[in-house]
Amino acid sequence: PYRHYTFFLHTNPAGGGGLEHLNSCDLMTAPDAFRPREKEERFLDLVAHEFFHLWNVKRIRPESLGPFDYQRENYTRLLWVMEGITNYFSPLILRRANIVSTRGYLKRLTERILAWREKPGRFVQSLEESSFDSWIKFYQPGENSTNAEVSYYEKGELVGLLLDLEIRRRTANRKSLDDVMRLLYRRYAARGVGFPEDGFQAAAEKICGGSLATFFRTCVSGTAELNFERALLAGGLRLFKKPKKEKDGKLLPRRLAHLGIKVEKQGDNRLLIARVVRGTAAWQAGVNPGDELLAIDGLKAGAETWEKRIEEKSPGDRVEIALFRRGLLQMVPVTLGARENIDYAIEPVAKPTPLQRKIAESWLDDQWKALTP
C-alpha cells in the first residue's frame, strides 16, 4: 500500500532497533551486524519486522492507535497483536523467502521456547495485561520484572504461532493466520479505520469457522503454560528436551545445582545482586536484590568464578552465602535447588498423516524432507 518505500539504515555501535512509518522505516544496527551469516540473519529479521509493520500497525490497527490524542496516553490490550504477531511473521517471511532454511527456522523457534519457559513472570502477567500496562511497566523494567511481567513482543510471537497452527488444524489447512490479517486489512485498513478491541478475535473466529474463546481465554487473558507440544503436532512435529553437549560431543549433566540470582559487577571488586528469580533457592532463603555478594562457603565470590562454584555442587547441597546488606554482614544458609541443563529440539514424527504433512509444508513453504535433521 505505497508508491515508494524507503529504508533508513543507521549503523551505531551503541545498540539497535527499529521504528515503522507509513512509507518508510528507521533501522538501527551495529556496524558489524552483516557478517557472519548468523548476524546477517538477525539483521534481516529486523528488516522484515519493520517492513511488515507497514501493514500491521500503520494500516491494520486497533481503534485506540490512531488518530492519536497526543495529550494523553492511549490504552489497548492489543499491543501483542501489533508487535507480537509482527514478531511471529518476520522470521517466517525470511523462511518463505528462502533466506533462512527450514531447519534454521525451527532451531530459532526452539531457542524462543526454551527462553520463554525460563521466565517466572509467564505465570503472573497475562498477554493482554502486558499490552495494557506497557505505559507503566514494559519500558521501565525493575529488579522484579522477570518474576512478575512478560513481554508482549515475546509471548505475542509465541501465541501467534499457536494461533496459526490452531487455525490450520481446524480448517484442514484451508485457512491460516495469513487469512486473518488479510480479512482485517479488507474489513478495516482498506477503509482507513481501526478495529475494535474484540475485532482481532472476531476475525480469527470468522476465518476459523468457530469459537476461539477457550484459546483466547487460555493464551491471551490467562497465564497457563503454553502448550507448544500439542500445537506443533498439528504439523507433524515433535518438540522434546535433549541434554546439552560440550564442544567435543560429550553429554553434560541433565540437572545442575542452581542458586537463582543474577549479579552485576560494580567497580573492580563488588558484585551486586541485580535479580533474584522467583521460586529458586536464593528466593526461598531470603536473598534480596541490592545485596552485595561476598563469599560462598567462606571463599571469595569472583565475577568469573561464583557460578562455577555453585555448579560444582549438587542439587540439595547446603551452602553458606556471605552478603553485605545495607552495610551489615549477613550469613545466609541456602539449600541449592536444581535447573534443567537442556536444549529443546523439533523433529518430524515418524509417520505423519497426510494432513500433518500438508500443514507443515504449507506453513514452512518447504518439502517434508527438509524437516529431517
Side-chain angles (χ1 to χ4, degrees):
Y2 57 85
R3 295 180 63 186
H4 185 271
Y5 191 89
T6 303
F7 293 92
F8 295 97
L9 175 59
H10 308 274
T11 56
N12 184 347
L19 183 64
E20 69 278 1
H21 305 290
L22 273 173
N23 302 304
S24 66
C25 66
D26 278 303
L27 305 171
M28 292 154 281
T29 193
D32 63 348
F34 313 105
R35 294 291 184 274
R37 178 66 177 179
E38 184 178 348
K39 284 187 175 181
E40 183 184 22
E41 288 178 1
R42 285 199 296 268
F43 167 69
L44 293 175
D45 190 290
L46 171 65
V47 175
H49 180 101
E50 300 306 332
F51 188 62
F52 193 78
H53 270 323
L54 80 91
W55 290 279
N56 192 34
V57 168
K58 300 312 297 184
R59 273 88 179 176
I60 302 170
R61 57 172 175 77
E63 291 172 327
S64 55
L65 295 185
F68 289 103
D69 179 354
Y70 291 102
Q71 300 300 313
R72 63 181 183 85
E73 297 161 344
N74 298 271
Y75 289 97
T76 177
R77 297 183 183 275
L78 294 169
L79 285 182
W80 71 271
V81 175
M82 302 298 95
E83 293 293 356
I85 296 297
T86 300
N87 245 25
Y88 169 64
F89 273 110
S90 56
L92 201 55
I93 289 168
L94 300 187
R95 167 57 232 126
R96 293 173 178 176
N98 213 27
I99 293 171
V100 173
S101 70
T102 295
R103 292 303 308 171
Y105 174 82
L106 294 177
K107 181 176 183 296
R108 177 190 184 278
L109 183 55
T110 61
E111 292 168 354
R112 287 288 201 269
I113 293 171
L114 178 60
W116 170 251
R117 286 187 167 171
E118 291 179 342
K119 292 181 168 62
R122 71 189 191 279
F123 295 122
V124 179
Q125 186 184 51
S126 73
L127 188 50
E128 64 179 15
E129 287 171 340
S130 175
S131 297
F132 193 81
D133 291 343
S134 62
W135 283 101
I136 57 173
K137 291 185 177 181
F138 185 71
Y139 292 101
Q140 301 183 59
E143 62 192 29
N144 200 44
S145 294
T146 190
N147 293 325
E149 300 169 29
V150 297
S151 163
Y152 52 83
Y153 283 82
E154 182 180 22
K155 187 175 182 180
E157 173 184 347
L158 296 172
V159 170
L161 165 74
L162 301 188
L163 181 58
D164 195 2
L165 291 172
E166 179 71 5
I167 293 171
R168 291 173 184 274
R169 183 186 67 83
R170 287 213 209 173
T171 64
N173 202 51
R174 290 188 296 273
K175 300 291 183 180
S176 71
L177 188 55
D178 299 54
D179 296 290
V180 177
M181 305 309 291
R182 294 188 185 105
L183 176 60
L184 289 169
Y185 189 86
R186 292 194 306 270
R187 184 175 287 179
Y188 299 102
R191 295 167 42 224
V193 298
F195 57 88
E197 285 288 297
D198 62 353
F200 183 78
Q201 180 176 342
E205 290 177 336
K206 174 71 174 178
I207 294 300
C208 190
S211 173
L212 287 166
T214 300
F215 179 94
F216 276 80
R217 184 168 58 251
T218 302
C219 298
V220 179
S221 58
T223 56
E225 187 73 278
L226 299 180
N227 194 336
F228 302 106
E229 288 82 0
R230 176 183 178 276
L232 287 165
L233 275 177
L237 297 172
R238 183 172 70 94
L239 174 69
F240 62 96
K241 298 175 182 178
K242 66 176 184 178
K244 287 186 177 180
K245 294 181 179 180
E246 292 181 337
K247 291 182 180 179
D248 61 1
K250 180 181 177 182
L251 290 179
L252 295 171
R254 180 119 184 183
R255 285 162 58 88
L256 294 175
H258 187 50
L259 181 57
I261 62 173
K262 301 293 183 182
V263 304
E264 292 179 354
K265 185 177 179 181
Q266 291 202 351
D268 294 331
N269 299 310
R270 301 182 69 207
L271 290 181
L272 291 186
I273 296 175
R275 295 192 301 279
V276 180
V277 181
R278 178 189 294 271
T280 60
W283 174 281
Q284 293 171 354
V287 177
N288 293 331
D291 290 347
E292 182 180 351
L293 178 61
L294 301 175
I296 300 172
D297 279 345
L299 297 176
K300 179 178 173 59
E304 310 299 327
T305 60
W306 76 267
E307 283 185 284
K308 293 178 182 178
R309 192 168 299 151
I310 294 295
E311 290 178 356
E312 288 169 356
K313 304 287 185 180
S314 298
D317 284 354
R318 189 178 176 89
V319 298
E320 190 171 58
I321 308 295
L323 306 166
F324 269 141
R325 180 177 298 163
R326 302 186 186 94
L328 297 177
L329 180 64
Q330 306 279 326
M331 305 301 293
V332 182
V334 181
T335 300
L336 295 175
R339 68 175 177 86
E340 286 191 299
N341 189 35
I342 53 94
D343 285 321
Y344 277 105
I346 295 175
E347 291 183 359
V349 298
K351 296 180 179 179
T353 66
L355 178 57
Q356 285 176 319
R357 288 187 59 146
K358 186 177 180 181
I359 287 175
E361 291 180 344
S362 172
W363 169 45
L364 298 168
D365 196 21
D366 209 343
Q367 299 298 310
W368 178 258
K369 63 181 180 181
L371 303 175
T372 306

